Amino acid sequence: MSFETALKTAQDDIQATLTDLLVAFDGPVGDAMRYATGGGKRLRGFLVLETSALLDVPRERALRAAAAIEAVHAYSLIHDDLPCMDDDNLRRGQPTVHRKWNEATAVLAGDALQSAAFEWLAAPLTHPDASVRAELVLTLARDAGATGMVWGQALDMAAESAEDPLTLEQITELQRLKTGRLLEWPCRAGAILGQADPVHLLRYAADIGLAFQIADDLLDVEGEAATVGKAVGKDADAGKATFVSLMGADAARDRAHALVKSAQDVLLPFGTRAATLAAVARYVVTRDK
Amino acid sequence: MSFETALKTAQDDIQATLTDLLVAFDGPVGDAMRYATGGGKRLRGFLVLETSALLDVPRERALRAAAAIEAVHAYSLIHDDLPCMDDDNLRRGQPTVHRKWNEATAVLAGDALQSAAFEWLAAPLTHPDASVRAELVLTLARDAGATGMVWGQALDMAAESAEDPLTLEQITELQRLKTGRLLEWPCRAGAILGQADPVHLLRYAADIGLAFQIADDLLDVEGEAATVGKAVGKDADAGKATFVSLMGADAARDRAHALVKSAQDVLLPFGTRAATLAAVARYVVTRDK
């Protein structure tokens, strides 16, 4: 199966799983939960499916973990887009949740998506072994919480009001938390579901996580808003330190490609079975949105 | 041990557990998480401890579940106090989180407290049997999420913009979700930790949950802001339907006391071992804050 076909199939399967799981939720908050989890690249969910496939995890189990990480990702975007945070009007080419509904609905839909993710992971259908389910919950709670993604968001907020722009070291640490941790978790989840040592997959994840953020910074400078689906040029306008502002576009691009190569090297022991994961690494830096 | 001593001891033990668990979190978001979980009646945590004691659950396990429900309760208050929700400046006699810090910190601290609660429940220290931990996560995620507390908050929001005030039946349903579910979970958690049938404790919880909300409505009408620790008279000013506006203060008080009696009757089979839980039921309607 080509990478494009595998990604498209994963996107459809993850959407079907989310549609099925989210049917439980009524009213505007339920509608906002469905809206915010609709569309998107499904990169995090795809990583769960592909790392799970590598370890022979049944796809229906991996799909529940994929839905959970997509729900947490969507919650983080809803709250990050709020007026008191990044104040964004557009996400994936559509009005953000607080623009389409209102701020209260956005707060509640984000809150409920976080709860839903843990509900899905903890339910017996995710894995017959409860210790696997508990480990999925524990690791996602850490990666999403105040020592993971939220900590990265707090550093990002602090940077905005700081006198000096961040150094390259600081921005790397910030992004390793803010974006990296929710890109690492899918690879960890594959290993947990497959009851395998996560060490190789986590090295792969760390490389593509950083490459992903560098690519995001390049898109903010070079992308078209219509294609990217959100406002571009925001970081430069805000005088915010990014990989591009600190390294220059060419060096940033070189670094992203080196990280892709490093991620692909980690996969070598898995041979051709990891071909799609190798393609994911390339996709992370060549995507146009 | 008298009820007052038992409550005071529980409050101290829960605070010590929260202090210990929250030490992991740095910066303003960590400070806000500590601030928002400091103080309060600890009624939910106390219910975990007392139902657990009834079933001979080791106290150190019950304390982790107590810390988790207090974290979720605190998260719900932080977000509920936001300008886009109830817009409150005062909570437990202190400035609300978004007033003391800012809205972004309040959003993130609430988000991170929710993650932390699931992290604590899923960790092996909570119970050696992973199926117990997974069940605690699953039930709390349901009770907090968009079929539980958040659903109650959404109904509350909808009621504010509705033409007609709510009926007694509707307000009962709303409060059973918004306040009741997080008062039920502690009793369910005791049963899960004790690997016992939760049916009796859940009936007890349903009764005191409703009594609690009726008492809250009475405090909003009759309480002193300085004692209650938050603005009073808000519901009446907003023309909001409450148990008191729908039933009158006397009938509301009678109903609350009947619910206490019903809750205490459920405890009869447990004999004197349930004396503190019986006292909790009385406390729920006699408290002055």
Side-chain angles (χ1 to χ4, degrees), chain A residues 215-260:
Chain A
D216 239 34
D217 288 352
L218 285 161
L219 279 173
D220 188 65
V221 174
E222 300 171 348
E224 301 282 337
T227 310
V228 179
K230 59 183 177 185
V232 296
K234 279 196 73 170
D235 294 341
D237 292 349
K240 210 165 155 179
T242 68
F243 290 107
V244 177
S245 74
L246 290 166
M247 307 173 77
D250 287 343
R253 199 173 292 106
D254 288 349
R255 177 92 179 99
H257 285 284
L259 285 162
V260 170

Side-chain angles (χ1 to χ4, degrees), chain A residues 15-76:
Chain A
Q15 183 58 55
T17 305
L18 282 165
T19 301
D20 190 39
L21 289 168
L22 291 168
V23 86
F25 307 121
D26 292 325
V29 171
D31 291 339
M33 292 167 78
R34 277 178 285 278
Y35 178 82
T37 51
K41 295 178 290 290
R42 308 297 192 195
L43 179 58
R44 291 157 193 80
F46 189 44
L47 284 168
V48 177
L49 298 187
E50 287 300 323
T51 53
S52 293
L54 202 62
L55 298 164
D56 298 315
V57 174
R59 191 167 172 97
E60 64 271 22
R61 295 181 191 166
L63 276 168
R64 292 179 62 91
I69 187 65
E70 291 292 338
V72 167
H73 178 52
Y75 124 64
S76 76

Side-chain angles (χ1 to χ4, degrees), chain A residues 31-158:
Chain A
D31 291 339
M33 292 167 78
R34 277 178 285 278
Y35 178 82
T37 51
K41 295 178 290 290
R42 308 297 192 195
L43 179 58
R44 291 157 193 80
F46 189 44
L47 284 168
V48 177
L49 298 187
E50 287 300 323
T51 53
S52 293
L54 202 62
L55 298 164
D56 298 315
V57 174
R59 191 167 172 97
E60 64 271 22
R61 295 181 191 166
L63 276 168
R64 292 179 62 91
I69 187 65
E70 291 292 338
V72 167
H73 178 52
Y75 124 64
S76 76
L77 298 181
I78 297 173
H79 284 188
D80 208 39
D81 287 338
L82 283 168
C84 68
M85 306 274 288
D86 279 358
D87 194 15
D88 276 307
N89 297 322
L90 210 58
R91 169 71 64 184
R92 296 170 183 162
Q94 302 289 329
T96 47
V97 171
H98 67 274
R99 292 302 251 162
K100 194 171 166 79
W101 283 272
N102 53 52
E103 283 184 54
T105 302
V107 170
L108 291 177
D111 289 345
L113 280 169
Q114 181 173 189
S115 303
F118 292 114
E119 180 183 338
W120 301 338
L121 289 179
L125 276 174
T126 301
H127 199 281
D129 183 341
S131 68
V132 167
R133 304 191 317 260
E135 185 71 6
L136 290 170
V137 169
L138 179 64
T139 52
L140 181 55
R142 278 189 190 141
D143 284 340
T147 54
M149 177 193 70
V150 166
W151 180 227
Q153 287 183 302
L155 291 178
D156 204 15
M157 264 170 44

Side-chain angles (χ1 to χ4, degrees), chain A residues 173-229:
Chain A
E173 171 67 6
L174 186 161
Q175 295 297 354
R176 201 183 56 78
L177 291 159
K178 185 179 171 177
T179 311
R181 293 288 287 270
L182 291 196
L183 283 163
E184 272 177 39
W185 187 82
C187 300
R188 188 188 290 278
I192 293 170
L193 285 165
Q195 294 174 284
D197 185 337
V199 63
H200 286 92
L201 291 174
L202 287 177
R203 280 182 45 210
Y204 163 84
D207 287 340
I208 67 165
L210 196 53
F212 180 91
Q213 189 55 46
I214 297 174
D216 239 34
D217 288 352
L218 285 161
L219 279 173
D220 188 65
V221 174
E222 300 171 348
E224 301 282 337
T227 310
V228 179

